[in-house]
Amino acid sequence: MPATIIDGKSIALKINQETAAIAAKLAERAGRKVGLAVVLVGDDPASAVYVRNKVKACADTGIESRMIAMSASSTTEEVLQVIRELNADENIDGILVQSPPPPQVDESAVILAIDPDKDVDCFAERNVGRLLIGEKPGFHPCTPWGVMELLRYSGIDPKGKHAVVIGRSNIVGKPMAALLMQKAAGANATVTVVHSGTPDIRRYTLDADILVAAIGKPEFVKGDMIKDGAVVIDVGINRIFDEALGKNRLVGDVKYAEAVEKASFITPVPGGVGPMTIAGLLRNACIALQLKLEREGK
Ligand code: GUN
């Protein structure tokens, strides 16, 4: 039987409705809206689309966004200067620098410069550390949090399951493994992380009850790498040229047509994990203002 499709778009919509209610309450308490700055350096078309989607989602949720577009020739120092100004801005609760920036910009330096209290991507050392420890409250890493929410909304409990994460990026793979292995309700999985240095990835994926593909390679996971009845979560967003269509098309890291015949649940691309990443970001922006108000005793 083909897999049940996990509809990330409609789950994200529900979460964003809750977020809008949270944002409205916070705005009342703070006397201003939650403020999110989105910095886009350069003119990568895919990044521009992602940033536009983030700005639109803010507007739909009652979050004030400030988009800062910087030229492709910007230096690290110029980006750092923008970050310093945003750090000091009382009306900005969250700062996001769209990744990847152009190669001349030192991304780690930029991430480290963001005030950890405004780090809505959950990339800063302090927040990554807290995540690993399982300390609350704090920011969620947006995409991995989105995946956990997809599982929860679909009634899939990772407890005692073997979760295999393909990919070890700081944005997805590492925090994904951390969330899945937490000793907490809705987690408690046994986690294996495989990556470009793993000699026989199939050996591990074939044993996965929950398979999270975040390797950034179009249709990398084939049907014969998936155990019957596995839950397949596809984090990949890749543009490929489709000869038959004569144009570009989005595909994930999973060969969907094959996987859908093996899996019990599967996320589509687009409309699976993608909308959840933005939902995670909007929620983090609210958490940033909530924590600020608590720090200020308001
Ligand atoms: N590029 C792709 N995904 C992300 C994300 O979650 N945050 C940022 N800042 N850049 C990205």
Side-chain angles (χ1 to χ4, degrees), residues 136-183:
K136 285 177 189 169
F139 297 120
H140 319 283
C142 300
T143 302
W145 177 82
V147 171
M148 299 305 280
E149 288 294 294
L150 287 179
L151 296 176
R152 190 167 71 83
Y153 270 80
S154 307
I156 299 157
D157 187 356
K159 184 179 178 184
K161 305 261 170 55
H162 184 202
V164 175
V165 179
I166 313 178
R168 56 178 158 183
S169 68
N170 290 334
I171 294 190
V172 184
K174 286 179 193 165
M176 186 77 253
L179 286 184
L180 283 163
M181 77 169 78
Q182 286 302 321
K183 192 169 184 176

Short mmCIF file of all heavy atoms in Angstrom, two decimals, residues 136-183:
data_model
loop_
_atom_site.label_atom_id
_atom_site.label_comp_id
_atom_site.label_asym_id
_atom_site.label_seq_id
_atom_site.Cartn_x
_atom_site.Cartn_y
_atom_site.Cartn_z
N LYS A 136 15.72 24.04 28.64
CA LYS A 136 14.60 24.86 28.16
C LYS A 136 14.44 26.04 29.08
O LYS A 136 14.80 25.97 30.24
CB LYS A 136 13.31 24.04 28.14
CG LYS A 136 13.27 23.06 27.02
CD LYS A 136 12.00 22.23 27.10
CE LYS A 136 12.07 21.11 26.09
NZ LYS A 136 11.03 20.13 26.27
N PRO A 137 13.86 27.16 28.70
CA PRO A 137 13.38 27.42 27.34
C PRO A 137 14.51 27.97 26.48
O PRO A 137 15.53 28.41 26.97
CB PRO A 137 12.34 28.52 27.57
CG PRO A 137 12.86 29.28 28.75
CD PRO A 137 13.63 28.29 29.60
N GLY A 138 14.28 27.93 25.20
CA GLY A 138 15.28 28.44 24.26
C GLY A 138 14.75 28.32 22.85
O GLY A 138 13.58 27.98 22.64
N PHE A 139 15.61 28.62 21.92
CA PHE A 139 15.20 28.53 20.52
C PHE A 139 15.25 27.09 20.02
O PHE A 139 16.04 26.28 20.50
CB PHE A 139 16.14 29.37 19.66
CG PHE A 139 16.09 30.83 19.99
CD1 PHE A 139 17.22 31.50 20.42
CD2 PHE A 139 14.91 31.55 19.87
CE1 PHE A 139 17.19 32.85 20.72
CE2 PHE A 139 14.86 32.90 20.18
CZ PHE A 139 16.00 33.55 20.61
N HIS A 140 14.39 26.81 19.03
CA HIS A 140 14.45 25.51 18.35
C HIS A 140 15.25 25.68 17.07
O HIS A 140 15.11 26.71 16.42
CB HIS A 140 13.05 25.06 17.90
CG HIS A 140 11.96 25.31 18.86
ND1 HIS A 140 11.78 24.51 19.96
CD2 HIS A 140 10.98 26.22 18.88
CE1 HIS A 140 10.72 24.95 20.62
NE2 HIS A 140 10.22 25.98 20.00
N PRO A 141 16.02 24.68 16.67
CA PRO A 141 16.58 24.73 15.31
C PRO A 141 15.40 24.53 14.35
O PRO A 141 14.67 23.54 14.47
CB PRO A 141 17.55 23.56 15.29
CG PRO A 141 17.10 22.64 16.37
CD PRO A 141 16.30 23.42 17.36
N CYS A 142 15.19 25.47 13.42
CA CYS A 142 13.90 25.55 12.71
C CYS A 142 13.51 24.28 11.94
O CYS A 142 12.41 23.76 12.11
CB CYS A 142 13.91 26.74 11.75
SG CYS A 142 14.15 28.30 12.62
N THR A 143 14.42 23.79 11.09
CA THR A 143 14.04 22.64 10.27
C THR A 143 13.90 21.36 11.11
O THR A 143 12.88 20.67 11.00
CB THR A 143 15.05 22.45 9.11
OG1 THR A 143 15.06 23.66 8.34
CG2 THR A 143 14.67 21.29 8.21
N PRO A 144 14.88 21.03 11.97
CA PRO A 144 14.70 19.83 12.79
C PRO A 144 13.46 19.91 13.70
O PRO A 144 12.75 18.92 13.87
CB PRO A 144 15.99 19.78 13.62
CG PRO A 144 16.99 20.50 12.79
CD PRO A 144 16.23 21.60 12.13
N TRP A 145 13.19 21.08 14.24
CA TRP A 145 11.98 21.26 15.05
C TRP A 145 10.75 20.97 14.18
O TRP A 145 9.81 20.29 14.61
CB TRP A 145 11.91 22.68 15.60
CG TRP A 145 10.67 22.99 16.39
CD1 TRP A 145 10.42 22.68 17.69
CD2 TRP A 145 9.50 23.66 15.91
NE1 TRP A 145 9.17 23.12 18.05
CE2 TRP A 145 8.58 23.74 16.97
CE3 TRP A 145 9.12 24.22 14.67
CZ2 TRP A 145 7.32 24.34 16.85
CZ3 TRP A 145 7.87 24.81 14.55
CH2 TRP A 145 7.00 24.86 15.63
N GLY A 146 10.78 21.47 12.94
CA GLY A 146 9.68 21.22 12.01
C GLY A 146 9.47 19.74 11.77
O GLY A 146 8.34 19.26 11.71
N VAL A 147 10.57 19.00 11.66
CA VAL A 147 10.47 17.55 11.44
C VAL A 147 9.83 16.87 12.66
O VAL A 147 8.94 16.02 12.52
CB VAL A 147 11.86 16.94 11.14
CG1 VAL A 147 11.81 15.42 11.14
CG2 VAL A 147 12.41 17.47 9.82
N MET A 148 10.26 17.27 13.86
CA MET A 148 9.69 16.68 15.08
C MET A 148 8.18 16.97 15.16
O MET A 148 7.39 16.12 15.57
CB MET A 148 10.39 17.22 16.33
CG MET A 148 11.88 16.92 16.41
SD MET A 148 12.33 15.19 16.29
CE MET A 148 11.99 14.60 17.94
N GLU A 149 7.80 18.18 14.75
CA GLU A 149 6.37 18.53 14.77
C GLU A 149 5.59 17.71 13.73
O GLU A 149 4.46 17.30 13.99
CB GLU A 149 6.20 20.03 14.49
CG GLU A 149 6.62 20.91 15.65
CD GLU A 149 5.73 20.73 16.87
OE1 GLU A 149 4.54 21.08 16.81
OE2 GLU A 149 6.21 20.20 17.89
N LEU A 150 6.20 17.48 12.57
CA LEU A 150 5.53 16.65 11.55
C LEU A 150 5.26 15.25 12.10
O LEU A 150 4.18 14.68 11.89
CB LEU A 150 6.39 16.53 10.29
CG LEU A 150 6.49 17.75 9.37
CD1 LEU A 150 7.41 17.44 8.19
CD2 LEU A 150 5.12 18.18 8.86
N LEU A 151 6.27 14.71 12.83
CA LEU A 151 6.10 13.36 13.41
C LEU A 151 4.98 13.40 14.44
O LEU A 151 4.09 12.53 14.45
CB LEU A 151 7.41 12.89 14.05
CG LEU A 151 8.61 12.68 13.11
CD1 LEU A 151 9.86 12.32 13.91
CD2 LEU A 151 8.33 11.60 12.08
N ARG A 152 5.01 14.42 15.31
CA ARG A 152 4.02 14.52 16.39
C ARG A 152 2.60 14.65 15.81
O ARG A 152 1.69 13.92 16.21
CB ARG A 152 4.35 15.74 17.26
CG ARG A 152 3.56 15.82 18.54
CD ARG A 152 4.17 16.85 19.46
NE ARG A 152 3.97 18.21 19.00
CZ ARG A 152 2.87 18.93 19.21
NH1 ARG A 152 1.86 18.41 19.88
NH2 ARG A 152 2.76 20.17 18.77
N TYR A 153 2.44 15.54 14.85
CA TYR A 153 1.12 15.74 14.25
C TYR A 153 0.64 14.49 13.52
O TYR A 153 -0.55 14.29 13.35
CB TYR A 153 1.13 16.92 13.28
CG TYR A 153 0.81 18.25 13.92
CD1 TYR A 153 1.76 18.95 14.63
CD2 TYR A 153 -0.47 18.80 13.83
CE1 TYR A 153 1.47 20.18 15.23
CE2 TYR A 153 -0.78 20.01 14.42
CZ TYR A 153 0.20 20.70 15.12
OH TYR A 153 -0.11 21.90 15.71
N SER A 154 1.57 13.67 13.06
CA SER A 154 1.18 12.45 12.32
C SER A 154 1.02 11.26 13.24
O SER A 154 0.80 10.13 12.77
CB SER A 154 2.24 12.15 11.25
OG SER A 154 2.46 13.28 10.44
N GLY A 155 1.17 11.47 14.55
CA GLY A 155 0.98 10.39 15.52
C GLY A 155 2.13 9.39 15.52
O GLY A 155 1.95 8.23 15.89
N ILE A 156 3.30 9.83 15.10
CA ILE A 156 4.47 8.94 15.05
C ILE A 156 5.36 9.24 16.25
O ILE A 156 5.90 10.35 16.36
CB ILE A 156 5.26 9.14 13.73
CG1 ILE A 156 4.38 8.81 12.53
CG2 ILE A 156 6.54 8.30 13.73
CD1 ILE A 156 4.82 9.46 11.24
N ASP A 157 5.50 8.27 17.15
CA ASP A 157 6.34 8.47 18.34
C ASP A 157 7.72 7.84 18.09
O ASP A 157 7.82 6.62 17.90
CB ASP A 157 5.67 7.82 19.56
CG ASP A 157 6.41 8.15 20.85
OD1 ASP A 157 7.48 8.82 20.78
OD2 ASP A 157 5.92 7.74 21.92
N PRO A 158 8.78 8.65 18.09
CA PRO A 158 10.12 8.10 17.81
C PRO A 158 10.66 7.19 18.92
O PRO A 158 11.67 6.51 18.70
CB PRO A 158 11.01 9.35 17.69
CG PRO A 158 10.08 10.51 17.53
CD PRO A 158 8.80 10.12 18.22
N LYS A 159 10.00 7.16 20.08
CA LYS A 159 10.50 6.40 21.23
C LYS A 159 10.83 4.94 20.85
O LYS A 159 9.97 4.23 20.32
CB LYS A 159 9.44 6.41 22.33
CG LYS A 159 9.87 5.73 23.60
CD LYS A 159 8.77 5.82 24.64
CE LYS A 159 9.21 5.09 25.90
NZ LYS A 159 8.14 5.06 26.89
N GLY A 160 12.05 4.55 21.12
CA GLY A 160 12.46 3.16 20.88
C GLY A 160 12.70 2.81 19.43
O GLY A 160 13.10 1.70 19.09
N LYS A 161 12.48 3.79 18.53
CA LYS A 161 12.66 3.52 17.10
C LYS A 161 14.11 3.80 16.70
O LYS A 161 14.81 4.56 17.36
CB LYS A 161 11.74 4.43 16.26
CG LYS A 161 10.27 4.34 16.64
CD LYS A 161 9.54 3.43 15.68
CE LYS A 161 8.13 3.11 16.14
NZ LYS A 161 7.31 4.27 16.39
N HIS A 162 14.51 3.18 15.62
CA HIS A 162 15.83 3.49 15.06
C HIS A 162 15.66 4.60 14.01
O HIS A 162 15.04 4.39 12.96
CB HIS A 162 16.45 2.24 14.42
CG HIS A 162 17.83 2.47 13.91
ND1 HIS A 162 18.41 1.68 12.94
CD2 HIS A 162 18.76 3.40 14.23
CE1 HIS A 162 19.63 2.13 12.69
NE2 HIS A 162 19.87 3.17 13.47
N ALA A 163 16.17 5.77 14.35
CA ALA A 163 16.12 6.90 13.41
C ALA A 163 17.48 7.03 12.74
O ALA A 163 18.50 7.06 13.42
CB ALA A 163 15.77 8.18 14.15
N VAL A 164 17.48 7.08 11.42
CA VAL A 164 18.73 7.27 10.69
C VAL A 164 18.67 8.63 9.99
O VAL A 164 17.73 8.90 9.23
CB VAL A 164 18.98 6.13 9.68
CG1 VAL A 164 20.24 6.41 8.84
CG2 VAL A 164 19.12 4.80 10.41
N VAL A 165 19.64 9.48 10.29
CA VAL A 165 19.72 10.81 9.69
C VAL A 165 20.83 10.76 8.64
O VAL A 165 21.96 10.37 8.95
CB VAL A 165 20.05 11.87 10.76
CG1 VAL A 165 20.17 13.26 10.13
CG2 VAL A 165 19.00 11.86 11.87
N ILE A 166 20.49 11.13 7.42
CA ILE A 166 21.52 11.18 6.37
C ILE A 166 21.94 12.64 6.22
O ILE A 166 21.15 13.47 5.79
CB ILE A 166 20.99 10.67 5.02
CG1 ILE A 166 20.23 9.36 5.18
CG2 ILE A 166 22.14 10.49 4.02
CD1 ILE A 166 19.64 8.82 3.87
N GLY A 167 23.18 12.93 6.59
CA GLY A 167 23.68 14.31 6.53
C GLY A 167 24.06 14.79 7.92
O GLY A 167 23.41 14.45 8.90
N ARG A 168 25.14 15.58 7.99
CA ARG A 168 25.65 16.04 9.29
C ARG A 168 25.88 17.54 9.29
O ARG A 168 26.81 18.05 9.92
CB ARG A 168 26.95 15.32 9.62
CG ARG A 168 27.97 15.50 8.52
CD ARG A 168 29.29 14.84 8.82
NE ARG A 168 30.02 14.60 7.60
CZ ARG A 168 31.18 13.99 7.53
NH1 ARG A 168 31.75 13.53 8.62
NH2 ARG A 168 31.78 13.80 6.38
N SER A 169 25.02 18.28 8.58
CA SER A 169 25.19 19.73 8.54
C SER A 169 24.84 20.35 9.89
O SER A 169 24.12 19.74 10.70
CB SER A 169 24.27 20.34 7.48
OG SER A 169 22.93 20.21 7.89
N ASN A 170 25.37 21.55 10.12
CA ASN A 170 25.03 22.26 11.35
C ASN A 170 23.59 22.74 11.33
O ASN A 170 22.97 22.90 12.38
CB ASN A 170 25.96 23.46 11.55
CG ASN A 170 27.37 23.02 11.89
OD1 ASN A 170 27.58 21.93 12.42
ND2 ASN A 170 28.34 23.84 11.56
N ILE A 171 23.03 22.95 10.13
CA ILE A 171 21.65 23.46 10.04
C ILE A 171 20.65 22.34 10.30
O ILE A 171 19.65 22.54 10.98
CB ILE A 171 21.36 24.09 8.65
CG1 ILE A 171 22.19 25.35 8.41
CG2 ILE A 171 19.89 24.42 8.49
CD1 ILE A 171 21.79 26.16 7.18
N VAL A 172 20.90 21.14 9.75
CA VAL A 172 19.90 20.08 9.86
C VAL A 172 20.43 18.82 10.56
O VAL A 172 19.92 18.43 11.62
CB VAL A 172 19.30 19.68 8.48
CG1 VAL A 172 18.19 18.64 8.66
CG2 VAL A 172 18.73 20.89 7.74
N GLY A 173 21.41 18.15 9.98
CA GLY A 173 21.79 16.81 10.44
C GLY A 173 22.13 16.74 11.92
O GLY A 173 21.56 15.92 12.67
N LYS A 174 23.05 17.60 12.36
CA LYS A 174 23.49 17.53 13.78
C LYS A 174 22.35 17.87 14.75
O LYS A 174 22.09 17.09 15.68
CB LYS A 174 24.70 18.44 14.00
CG LYS A 174 25.99 17.89 13.41
CD LYS A 174 27.12 18.88 13.66
CE LYS A 174 28.35 18.55 12.84
NZ LYS A 174 29.29 19.68 12.81
N PRO A 175 21.65 19.02 14.55
CA PRO A 175 20.56 19.29 15.50
C PRO A 175 19.41 18.29 15.40
O PRO A 175 18.73 18.01 16.39
CB PRO A 175 20.09 20.71 15.13
CG PRO A 175 20.67 21.01 13.80
CD PRO A 175 21.89 20.17 13.65
N MET A 176 19.21 17.71 14.21
CA MET A 176 18.16 16.69 14.05
C MET A 176 18.45 15.49 14.93
O MET A 176 17.57 14.97 15.64
CB MET A 176 18.12 16.27 12.57
CG MET A 176 16.99 15.34 12.20
SD MET A 176 15.43 16.20 12.05
CE MET A 176 14.58 15.69 13.52
N ALA A 177 19.70 15.04 14.89
CA ALA A 177 20.11 13.89 15.72
C ALA A 177 19.93 14.23 17.19
O ALA A 177 19.43 13.41 17.98
CB ALA A 177 21.56 13.53 15.42
N ALA A 178 20.29 15.47 17.56
CA ALA A 178 20.18 15.88 18.97
C ALA A 178 18.73 15.84 19.44
O ALA A 178 18.44 15.34 20.53
CB ALA A 178 20.76 17.29 19.15
N LEU A 179 17.82 16.33 18.62
CA LEU A 179 16.41 16.35 19.02
C LEU A 179 15.83 14.94 19.11
O LEU A 179 15.10 14.61 20.04
CB LEU A 179 15.56 17.17 18.03
CG LEU A 179 15.69 18.68 18.08
CD1 LEU A 179 14.72 19.32 17.09
CD2 LEU A 179 15.43 19.21 19.49
N LEU A 180 16.16 14.10 18.14
CA LEU A 180 15.60 12.75 18.12
C LEU A 180 16.07 11.92 19.31
O LEU A 180 15.35 11.05 19.81
CB LEU A 180 15.98 12.04 16.81
CG LEU A 180 15.18 12.43 15.57
CD1 LEU A 180 15.91 12.00 14.30
CD2 LEU A 180 13.77 11.83 15.61
N MET A 181 17.31 12.19 19.78
CA MET A 181 17.86 11.34 20.86
C MET A 181 17.53 11.86 22.25
O MET A 181 17.82 11.19 23.24
CB MET A 181 19.37 11.21 20.69
CG MET A 181 20.14 12.42 21.13
SD MET A 181 21.92 12.12 21.22
CE MET A 181 22.39 12.19 19.51
N GLN A 182 16.95 13.08 22.35
CA GLN A 182 16.66 13.65 23.67
C GLN A 182 15.86 12.67 24.53
O GLN A 182 14.97 11.99 24.03
CB GLN A 182 15.85 14.94 23.56
CG GLN A 182 16.64 16.14 23.09
CD GLN A 182 17.82 16.50 23.97
OE1 GLN A 182 17.75 16.41 25.18
NE2 GLN A 182 18.91 16.87 23.34
N LYS A 183 16.17 12.68 25.84
CA LYS A 183 15.36 11.90 26.77
C LYS A 183 14.14 12.74 27.10
O LYS A 183 14.14 13.52 28.07
CB LYS A 183 16.18 11.60 28.04
CG LYS A 183 15.56 10.58 28.94
CD LYS A 183 16.54 10.15 30.00
CE LYS A 183 15.97 9.04 30.85
NZ LYS A 183 16.96 8.55 31.81
#
